[in-house]
Amino acid sequence: MRKGVKSIETKHYEERDSFFDGLRKLDRRSFMRLAGLSAGIAAAKGLITPQGFQLISVAEAATPTPSAKPKFSFAYISDSHLYKQELNDRFVRSLLRAVDDINRLDPQPDFVLYGGDLAQLGQKEELDLGKQILKTLKAPVKMMVGEHDWFLDMGEHWRGLFGEPQYSFDHKGVHFVTLMSVNEKDFWTERGMTPMERMQTVAGLDNGLQSRFEVGAAGREWLKADLAKVDKNTPLVVFSHSPLYKYYKQWNFWTDDADEVQALLRPFKNVTVIHGHTHQLLSNQIGNIQFHGMLSTAWPWPYAPEGLPSLTVPMNRTDPFSNFDGCGDGRMDVLESGLVDKLYNLWDRNPVTVKSSYLASSGKQDRPPASKLPPY
Amino acid sequence: MKAISFAGALTLATVALADNSAAPPPLPLGLSPQLYKLTVPQPPTPAQVTLGEKLFNEKRLSADNSVSCATCHDPAKAFADGKPQAVGIKNQVGQRNSPTVLNALFLATQFWDGRAATLEDQAKLPILNPIEMGMPSPEAVVTKVRAIPEYRDAFQKLNGREPSYDDIASAIAAFERTRMAGNARFDRFLTGNSNALSAQEKRGWALFNGKGRCNSCHAGNAVSPLFSDQKFHNIGVAAHKQDFVQLASEALRVVRAGDEEQIDRLALESKFSELGRFLVTRHENDIGSFKTPTLRNVGVTGPYMHDGSMATLWDVVDHYNKGGITNPYLDGGMQRLGLTEPEIDDLVAFLFALTSEDFAALEKKELTAQRARKTKRPERDTAVALGKKGNLGDLAPNPDLKNPADLGLYGPVAAPEK
């Protein structure tokens, strides 16, 4: 939580206290208003209710101005964390749901970005299952690797299925780069870990054993060489699994050499970074670079206790009753300007669009609809 | 945290609020006096209720004098009609199953899609609906009622003026506010008589709160006696009948284009009414959601679901057992349940135990009729329910769900047979 923000418990207890204090000195009307909460009457009567009971209202996006017209769209699915189906098919079901969503899009996106963490523990069966499901997408798929796909066999099987993890391509005047941003310095050899121990250590998000993610020197060299061929006015869209900035180190919501990578991107006019890994609504802007997090299909992470970019319009706590709440997939509309309007297609909630103009104006314009409930 | 319970606070407040309004009527066993007090701050007077009941049964409120409120909300049938969908004037069939009026006063919203906030608002609409009672306009209703001397006099006596459409609606609502239902076997069980439920019904109650996950939306207890969360959920019923996805994307397109009027027109077309709550809120997430109905008297108010598409409670449990019908807006809480056939029987037995005592004869008749249909199970898909087919629900090891009834939580446990 940022400074000055009360925790959800504090707010809850304050609300409760004021509720009961209020009951002591009441006329009938305000009594009805307070007490109606318990019976669900307030919702129907449209009365003001404390935040804990409020519904989220989502405004429909206005029609874009011609200058901010989408040039083309691509969809994304990310962080499915598949287990073998015999063990757990809940995440399988979620990925199938995402594939159905994307296949239903009309018009179809130009391609689908898969944001990494297809498997939970990098095992052959998990990756094969994921590949089989992603095959059913109508649009072509661009794959990115996540740490859960990698650290069992250091990417051997993933490479066999999907090719090299770092590549670039040009599409309709935009230069796209996919990075492998989840390399880690060797922490396993000196500890004598088996591949599975190494994998499980990396999969445990907040342990002190593993190193921090990085693109690494070799990766940055490759990126430098790739970008050298690109005109500085060409819009640039970078895919990375971990956020390409420093959000929260303890959970590895982090890229250790983010500053060096950002320096390579700085000469370009319009840069957008799309990342996975954080499983939440997340928006950031650093200099000329706009950052968008992707939703997971498997589960939503809570927000880190510190370091949350101030431009993020956070989502509130998700419903534990629902397998799908706070998860989802989405779509990016690449605008004429080369920047990206991003649609979070949240399941069990209303969709949220974070426009590039919102980030470009440092949050002054086009603020996405926010929940009245506290972030979690 | 102040050490003061919610009920305690309410009691304090009610004392502070004591005034000269009529004393609340005796409530049937199981209903909460606090909830009544919140819902009906001023209990209706006998004169209002008498007039309202008369209007409730008044066929002259319809265009051809053939349909009254009671036609679809028949007091003898627990204020429902036993038909899949309501039938209005000229035998026109509507889109919706008639929900019971019993306990409707406690509901936060009226209609399956919650488009009316009060009983008064609700009462006005069926009278004007061309398929239901078919009156051309509120003015026409008022003119017709004013021309009937007994009503003119009654309203004159009650309000000191000629009736308006609002007056007519509030009289009907006053009568409906007296229609409460409790006093079921379950209520006697909950208030300490552990013999009120049979062993099978107790097992059903345990399943209801456990493996069946019914209480996720239909929680019922001493302080929340309705067995409804009063929210709206897409459980896939609407996806039965037509290309629901196509329908939803059409509707979304209209909403995004911002033509609200068009949506209203669409709502009157048959197939679009299947979008449910979405037509009220225009929130994408509400597509195909309908209100969680109260489960009191559920045994005697079939057929089930917003469209009456399920004939028996066995069908309903079958539907949930397979995790509903897949569609893009299916509620995330829906998953397969893996209930076995004996468990389904137990659960249905419990649901029948929610019937008020005054409908005991009707319950018997309905139970027999539903049992007779047990061999016809259109919703049944055991392979999906048990996870042998499809992708619904975790196949992780079953959680160790001990039946609370076996642990003695619902009364003494019979000694195991040697």
Side-chain angles (χ1 to χ4, degrees):
Chain A
M1 254 347 130
R2 281 151 302 175
K3 273 200 182 62
V5 176
K6 291 171 183 164
S7 80
I8 191 164
E9 289 86 356
T10 309
K11 282 184 183 165
H12 173 74
Y13 284 124
E14 280 179 2
E15 257 170 39
R16 271 185 69 126
D17 285 352
S18 72
F19 175 87
F20 289 121
D21 288 347
L23 280 178
R24 292 209 181 73
K25 33 181 195 275
L26 272 188
D27 56 24
R28 173 181 301 275
R29 177 172 297 249
S30 37
F31 171 71
M32 281 294 292
R33 188 179 68 216
L34 284 168
L37 300 174
S38 59
I41 293 166
K45 297 256 194 290
L47 300 166
I48 309 292
T49 59
Q51 59 166 15
F53 297 91
Q54 255 161 358
L55 304 167
I56 305 169
S57 71
V58 175
E60 284 294 338
T63 340
T65 52
S67 58
K69 260 210 159 71
K71 195 156 41 169
F72 65 92
S73 292
F74 62 95
Y76 76 81
I77 304 178
S78 190
D79 293 86
S80 302
H81 294 266
L82 297 177
Y83 287 82
K84 275 191 298 208
Q85 197 156 353
E86 301 76 83
L87 286 175
N88 168 336
D89 71 356
R90 172 178 158 178
F91 296 161
V92 176
R93 209 156 38 113
S94 297
L95 179 56
L96 287 166
R97 181 173 181 172
V99 167
D100 285 346
D101 279 356
I102 306 294
N103 280 343
R104 241 190 6 259
L105 286 176
D106 181 23
Q108 274 288 293
D110 288 11
F111 59 87
V112 183
L113 161 68
Y114 189 83
D117 286 355
L118 181 59
Q120 171 63 8
L121 293 170
Q123 299 180 87
K124 190 172 169 310
E125 302 87 341
E126 297 167 349
L127 289 165
D128 290 347
L129 175 62
K131 174 150 187 163
Q132 186 196 332
I133 294 173
L134 292 178
K135 258 197 199 134
T136 56
L137 281 165
K138 291 190 225 165
V141 182
K142 305 284 181 188
M143 288 301 293
M144 175 156 66
V145 74
E147 79 281 9
H148 284 257
D149 304 321
W150 192 262
F151 281 88
L152 184 65
D153 58 5
M154 300 311 281
E156 192 185 323
H157 193 64
W158 196 92
R159 274 201 182 92
L161 290 176
F162 305 115
E164 281 308 306
Q166 289 212 129
Y167 57 93
S168 67
F169 59 97
D170 293 282
H171 184 81
K172 296 190 179 172
V174 178
H175 186 67
F176 286 91
V177 177
T178 305
L179 290 177
M180 158 55 176
S181 66
V182 292
N183 295 295
E184 291 197 17
K185 294 204 162 51
D186 186 339
F187 61 86
W188 49 88
T189 308
E190 64 170 17
R191 292 188 172 86
M193 287 183 172
T194 64
M196 189 39 109
E197 283 170 338
R198 171 178 64 204
M199 178 70 246
Q200 295 199 316
T201 306
V202 174
L205 201 65
D206 53 352
N207 58 54
L209 288 181
Q210 61 177 314
S211 330
R212 300 302 102 187
F213 294 143
E214 54 180 26
V215 174
R220 293 200 304 274
E221 279 312 307
W222 174 90
L223 179 63
K224 203 168 164 176
D226 182 80
L227 295 181
K229 304 189 292 263
V230 183
D231 182 89
K232 299 289 177 277
N233 287 323
T234 305
L236 192 57
V237 177
V238 179
F239 301 148
S240 81
H241 181 68
S242 55
L244 274 185
Y245 57 91
K246 298 180 173 180
Y247 170 6
Y248 190 60
K249 195 168 184 171
Q250 286 86 324
W251 295 353
N252 235 342
F253 283 10
W254 191 266
T255 305
D256 223 30
D257 50 2
D259 301 345
E260 290 93 323
V261 177
Q262 285 172 23
L264 295 174
L265 305 178
R266 200 146 297 138
F268 289 82
K269 193 164 150 239
N270 281 329
V271 188
T272 306
V273 172
I274 313 278
H275 66 85
H277 189 60
T278 49
H279 298 211
Q280 57 196 210
L281 298 180
L282 197 60
S283 320
N284 195 7
Q285 162 110 15
I286 300 173
N288 61 327
I289 311 171
Q290 301 192 344
F291 299 85
H292 294 281
M294 284 186 273
L295 294 171
S296 156
T297 62
W299 70 81
W301 284 125
Y303 286 98
E306 57 190 31
L308 182 68
S310 61
L311 280 171
T312 297
V313 174
M315 54 186 185
N316 57 289
R317 183 186 178 169
T318 50
D319 179 358
F321 166 65
S322 166
N323 285 348
F324 296 119
D325 192 20
C327 304
D329 45 56
R331 199 186 70 225
M332 331 257 180
D333 295 330
V334 182
L335 310 176
E336 292 293 347
S337 65
L339 291 169
V340 168
D341 281 353
K342 179 163 193 295
L343 171 81
Y344 289 99
N345 179 37
L346 286 151
W347 293 325
D348 271 24
R349 297 184 177 210
N350 288 297
V352 174
T353 301
V354 178
K355 292 176 168 253
S356 64
S357 54
Y358 164 72
L359 294 176
S361 65
S362 305
K364 289 185 184 65
Q365 289 169 25
D366 294 332
R367 193 174 171 75
S371 162
K372 295 190 179 69
L373 298 162
Y376 190 73
Chain B
M1 210 38 250
K2 310 241 178 340
I4 179 167
S5 74
F6 185 76
L10 280 177
T11 320
L12 279 181
T14 45
V15 170
L17 281 173
D19 63 5
N20 303 329
S21 67
L27 297 182
L29 183 71
L31 293 187
S32 137
Q34 281 87 353
L35 180 58
Y36 181 84
K37 202 153 176 66
L38 288 171
T39 314
V40 192
Q42 278 187 300
T45 62
Q48 281 174 313
V49 176
T50 312
L51 176 58
E53 178 163 21
K54 219 167 153 162
L55 285 163
F56 190 87
N57 292 301
E58 182 53 79
K59 291 186 171 173
R60 284 175 288 186
L61 287 180
S62 66
D64 62 1
N65 303 341
S66 68
V67 175
S68 69
C69 305
T71 306
C72 299
H73 303 285
D74 182 349
K77 293 181 180 156
F79 284 87
D81 58 5
K83 295 174 180 148
Q85 287 121 3
V87 179
I89 57 168
K90 300 175 198 152
N91 285 328
Q92 299 177 94
V93 181
Q95 297 296 316
R96 295 269 194 271
N97 173 267
S98 312
T100 178
V101 173
L102 293 167
N103 292 339
L105 69 151
F106 295 120
L107 297 176
T109 58
Q110 305 299 336
F111 290 113
W112 277 102
D113 55 11
R115 65 185 180 278
T118 62
L119 291 170
E120 282 83 354
D121 293 351
Q122 190 280 332
K124 292 174 183 178
L125 292 170
I127 299 175
L128 304 177
N129 184 314
I131 292 177
E132 294 172 356
M133 293 161 83
M135 290 299 280
S137 68
E139 293 72 33
V141 183
V142 170
T143 311
K144 201 167 170 179
V145 171
R146 283 181 183 180
I148 303 171
E150 52 183 304
Y151 285 122
R152 205 182 44 229
D153 298 348
F155 275 109
Q156 193 66 44
K157 218 164 126 190
L158 193 67
N159 305 328
R161 59 171 186 265
E162 296 236 289
S164 65
Y165 199 42
D166 285 343
D167 294 337
I168 294 167
S170 65
I172 294 172
F175 164 68
E176 287 170 337
R177 279 204 179 89
T178 62
R179 299 299 94 192
M180 291 178 267
N183 205 11
R185 292 199 295 288
F186 169 79
D187 295 306
R188 292 210 304 285
F189 165 74
L190 207 62
T191 46
N193 177 357
S194 71
N195 297 326
L197 293 186
S198 69
Q200 185 183 33
E201 287 160 350
K202 282 180 201 168
R203 289 198 303 272
W205 172 228
L207 287 164
F208 185 93
N209 294 307
K211 190 175 174 184
R213 305 178 78 235
C214 313
N215 66 350
S216 313
C217 303
H218 289 286
N221 51 47
V223 290
S224 170
L226 296 182
F227 290 85
S228 164
D229 63 0
Q230 311 230 23
K231 291 181 183 164
F232 300 82
H233 299 278
N234 174 327
I235 59 168
V237 176
H240 257 311
K241 285 191 292 255
Q242 59 261 315
D243 188 350
F244 182 72
V245 176
Q246 181 65 29
L247 197 69
S249 50
E250 257 175 81
L252 274 179
R253 256 203 296 277
V254 174
V255 163
R256 296 219 174 97
D259 190 348
E260 302 247 325
E261 250 176 70
Q262 200 179 344
I263 272 277
D264 282 333
R265 280 204 306 278
L266 292 177
L268 291 173
E269 282 178 36
S270 63
K271 58 176 192 174
F272 276 93
S273 68
E274 290 299 321
L275 296 170
R277 183 67 176 165
F278 169 77
L279 295 173
V280 181
T281 63
R282 312 292 152 85
H283 287 172
E284 189 170 336
N285 191 30
D286 286 328
I287 289 179
S289 321
F290 292 89
K291 191 166 69 186
T292 308
T294 172
L295 293 187
R296 287 195 171 267
N297 290 312
V298 69
V300 291
T301 51
Y304 303 105
M305 302 298 168
H306 68 272
D307 54 358
S309 59
M310 296 179 198
T312 70
L313 286 171
W314 275 274
D315 293 337
V316 174
V317 180
D318 281 343
H319 171 86
Y320 285 114
N321 203 15
K322 65 184 177 193
I325 308 280
T326 318
N327 71 80
Y329 302 99
L330 186 70
D331 195 282
M334 295 290 288
Q335 59 178 65
R336 71 176 186 86
L337 303 173
L339 296 168
T340 60
E341 194 58 24
E343 285 174 329
I344 294 175
D345 291 346
D346 292 351
L347 196 45
V348 174
F350 168 73
L351 291 172
F352 272 97
L354 296 174
T355 311
S356 303
E357 242 169 34
D358 26 345
F359 297 119
L362 186 60
E363 181 193 353
K364 221 168 156 166
K365 191 173 131 228
E366 280 298 311
L367 183 57
T368 313
Q370 292 201 15
R371 262 215 194 100
R373 300 187 57 141
K374 253 186 74 174
T375 46
K376 254 185 73 183
R377 302 277 286 274
E379 299 298 328
R380 190 172 181 172
D381 196 335
T382 313
V384 171
L386 299 179
K388 296 191 173 77
K389 196 177 89 184
N391 291 294
L392 271 173
D394 291 357
L395 298 188
N398 263 339
D400 183 15
L401 283 173
K402 286 215 166 45
N403 187 326
D406 295 342
L407 300 176
L409 292 179
Y410 301 124
V413 185
E417 309 236 340
K418 286 281 177 339

